[in-house]
Amino acid sequence: MKIGIIREGKFPIDRRVPLSPQQCQAVQEKYPNLELIIQTSSIRCFADIEYQQLGLEVRENVSDCDILLGVKEVPVSELIPNKTYLFFSHTIKKQPYNRQLLQTILDKNIRLIDYECLTTERGSRVIGFGRYAGIVGAYHGLDAYGKRNYLYQLQPILDCVDLNQMKAELAKVKLPAIKITITGGGRVAKGVMEILDFIGITSVSPSDFLTKSYPEAVYTQLNTTDYNKTPDGSPFIEAEFFQYPEQFEGDFYKSTQVTDLLMAAAYWHPQSPVLFTTEDIQSSGFKIQAIADITCDIEGSIPCTQRTSTLTEPYYDYHPPTQQLEPPFSREENLTIMAVVQ
């Protein structure tokens, strides 16, 4: 079998790669009959020479490979017919913006293996960017809040060569006594909490978060049971929620009245209740100033997430009265959104 490591063609550019040079070498040592071909790339976080120095073949044409391995969506024009591809297609929720990608895959008789659909026998996902999605999302959320309130400016995440440099940059963060809400309890949320704990933000319980005042910045982490409820007030059974999400109601509005910065890190099913509505945003009690929408469902659980953003331009503003998008940090009454697809 011959596997090709394709370069990332999505715009804006993505520097990630499915296998590092050392991982490629380990794969070939374990499976000597397997051949790995690396497609040339000038943007990949590992240079072509780093693969070549380990004896791996690097070339432009990978059309003779049986399997093509990438990270994010492959541009429609670059799809090779009759091949097997592995990448994150972002089509499992019927995302409209990738409809053409899925149609082209079918038209070209391509076998798509989507990382998002690979699970264990118990249903747990095998591959995900969970922790690092949370880490990068938290960095952007803190940066957005700092910029819109003229508190500090963090350098772009693309300029941080590694996690250590990113954490060094976070030393600039000096927050007033704000309240930060994190939704979700999985790997993404844990990545967010890792960053907030690192910069010394105090964690408090959801009930205290709603009712108490603090002299310093605090955060709380909400699970499904904290922001959804049964319509009749009967006990919330999580298994029933995941099976029949359309039968439940949202209960997040109370949090919007005390939260300054929201970091949305929970998986959202299209039949689940939304966190809040456009009408909620326009209400006088709505307090949120900035949202790091790490889940990034377009017009999903967060209605003001109307489009994705990019690592080079990670923020945009939402103007509540008109429900229109505007340049970031353009008006004090706007909501600032970070919606980078991780």
Side-chain angles (χ1 to χ4, degrees):
M1 183 181 288
K2 187 180 291 186
I3 296 179
I5 306 299
I6 59 176
R7 64 169 167 259
E8 296 301 304
K10 186 178 179 180
F11 182 83
I13 63 173
D14 195 314
R15 302 184 188 278
R16 291 175 291 189
V17 63
L19 293 175
S20 68
Q22 291 75 20
Q23 288 172 327
C24 287
Q25 185 182 47
V27 168
Q28 290 203 311
E29 289 175 355
K30 186 172 183 178
Y31 303 101
N33 292 327
L34 180 70
E35 188 175 356
L36 282 170
I37 307 297
I38 315 301
Q39 187 175 31
T40 55
S41 173
S42 61
I43 64 170
R44 190 179 287 133
C45 58
F46 296 101
D48 289 349
I49 188 66
E50 295 181 74
Y51 289 93
Q52 292 170 323
Q53 288 173 341
L54 295 179
L56 295 154
E57 183 179 354
V58 179
R59 53 179 160 92
E60 173 64 25
N61 193 338
V62 292
S63 61
D64 60 333
C65 294
D66 304 293
I67 293 176
L68 297 168
L69 197 64
V71 178
K72 300 305 288 288
E73 300 101 311
V74 176
V76 168
S77 61
E78 297 178 16
L79 289 168
I80 303 173
N82 306 313
K83 297 293 182 181
T84 294
Y85 277 87
L86 279 82
F87 58 85
F88 282 104
S89 71
H90 294 290
T91 59
I92 194 65
K93 296 181 184 177
K94 300 181 182 179
Q95 289 94 322
Y97 58 90
N98 276 335
R99 184 180 290 119
Q100 184 186 5
L101 170 64
L102 197 56
Q103 290 172 336
T104 305
I105 286 170
L106 294 170
D107 292 342
K108 292 190 174 184
N109 192 37
I110 288 170
R111 182 186 185 214
L112 170 63
I113 301 175
D114 193 315
Y115 296 131
E116 191 172 353
C117 300
L118 297 178
T119 63
T120 65
E121 292 180 356
R122 298 181 63 183
S124 300
R125 282 180 58 178
V126 175
I127 299 172
F129 295 130
R131 176 184 173 229
Y132 282 99
I135 286 172
V136 173
Y139 184 94
H140 277 138
L142 292 167
D143 183 42
Y145 188 85
K147 282 185 169 69
R148 75 165 276 138
N149 290 287
Y150 307 100
L151 298 172
Y152 50 81
Q153 291 202 37
L154 304 181
Q155 70 176 3
I157 193 73
L158 286 172
D159 294 340
C160 297
V161 298
D162 57 22
L163 184 59
N164 289 331
Q165 184 175 344
M166 189 203 76
K167 287 185 173 180
E169 190 69 13
L170 287 169
K172 297 177 181 177
V173 175
K174 306 296 180 186
L175 292 172
I178 67 168
K179 289 185 173 182
I180 304 170
T181 294
I182 305 165
T183 59
R187 289 176 290 188
V188 179
K190 287 181 172 61
V192 174
M193 289 187 283
E194 180 179 335
I195 294 303
L196 297 187
D197 291 340
F198 174 77
I199 62 174
I201 307 298
T202 302
S203 171
V204 300
S205 70
S207 59
D208 286 348
F209 187 88
L210 290 172
T211 60
K212 293 183 178 181
S213 298
Y214 297 90
E216 60 186 0
V218 298
Y219 79 84
T220 196
Q221 179 254 323
L222 305 181
N223 288 304
T224 304
T225 56
D226 296 312
Y227 56 91
N228 294 286
K229 63 181 180 180
T230 56
D232 59 2
S234 59
F236 186 98
I237 301 174
E238 195 169 37
E240 291 184 0
F241 175 80
F242 289 125
Q243 188 172 5
Y244 307 107
E246 71 280 1
Q247 297 181 7
F248 290 75
E249 294 180 352
D251 193 28
F252 186 76
Y253 181 72
K254 60 183 183 292
S255 295
T256 68
Q257 299 182 322
V258 296
T259 298
D260 300 286
L261 170 59
L262 169 62
M263 299 197 182
Y267 174 82
W268 181 75
H269 190 281
Q271 292 182 312
S272 299
V274 297
L275 287 181
F276 48 82
T277 65
T278 53
E279 291 75 20
D280 292 336
I281 298 172
Q282 296 179 42
S283 68
S284 58
F286 193 90
K287 194 169 184 285
I288 299 172
Q289 294 184 11
I291 301 174
D293 191 354
I294 309 169
T295 53
C296 198
D297 293 299
I298 306 304
E299 296 183 342
S301 64
I302 297 173
C304 44
T305 301
Q306 296 183 5
R307 65 169 176 83
T308 60
S309 54
T310 69
L311 285 173
T312 52
E313 296 182 358
Y315 316 118
Y316 57 81
D317 272 9
Y318 172 87
H319 185 53
T322 63
Q323 301 180 27
Q324 298 298 307
L325 301 186
E326 298 183 348
F329 323 119
S330 51
R331 304 193 208 195
E332 186 177 348
E333 65 266 30
N334 284 354
L335 256 171
T336 299
I337 312 296
M338 186 289 299
V340 176
V341 177
Q342 309 295 335

